[in-house]
Amino acid sequence: MAASREDVKFLSNPKIGLKHKKYCRFRKFGIKYIDYKDSDFLLQFINEQGKLLPRRITGNSLKYQRRVATAVKRARHLGMLPFIADLMK
């Protein structure tokens, strides 16, 4: 006996194919200012090689992604974050 269309729906995992909605954490929590002196916070937006993570991964809005990039560049200039690193995290 073959499974009908309705049976297949319940046999498979309903969460497969559902992607969670990305959100801008700055808008969600009402953060207005990104402090370039807070290097621990800025490490969340940098990968192991020291590169900035893109918006499609972090979920930031365009406005706050630009502010994060500026803050990371300022922290690098002051020596709080490295320009390049091998396995930083």
Side-chain angles (χ1 to χ4, degrees), residues 20-75:
H20 64 280
K21 177 80 172 130
K22 292 182 194 168
Y23 61 91
C24 179
R25 69 182 81 192
F26 300 103
R27 288 183 188 225
K28 183 174 182 182
F29 298 117
I31 300 172
K32 299 286 184 199
Y33 178 70
I34 300 169
D35 191 14
Y36 63 92
K37 297 179 289 271
D38 190 5
S39 60
D40 295 331
F41 177 70
L42 293 176
L43 281 175
Q44 298 175 2
F45 303 101
I46 295 176
N47 67 4
E48 294 84 22
Q49 290 86 26
K51 297 179 181 179
L52 276 169
L53 290 173
R55 284 180 58 206
R56 59 185 166 81
I57 295 177
T58 60
N60 293 338
S61 63
L62 179 63
K63 174 181 172 181
Y64 287 104
Q65 181 69 18
R66 286 180 182 151
R67 290 184 182 183
V68 166
T70 304
V72 168
K73 290 173 187 176
R74 287 179 180 167

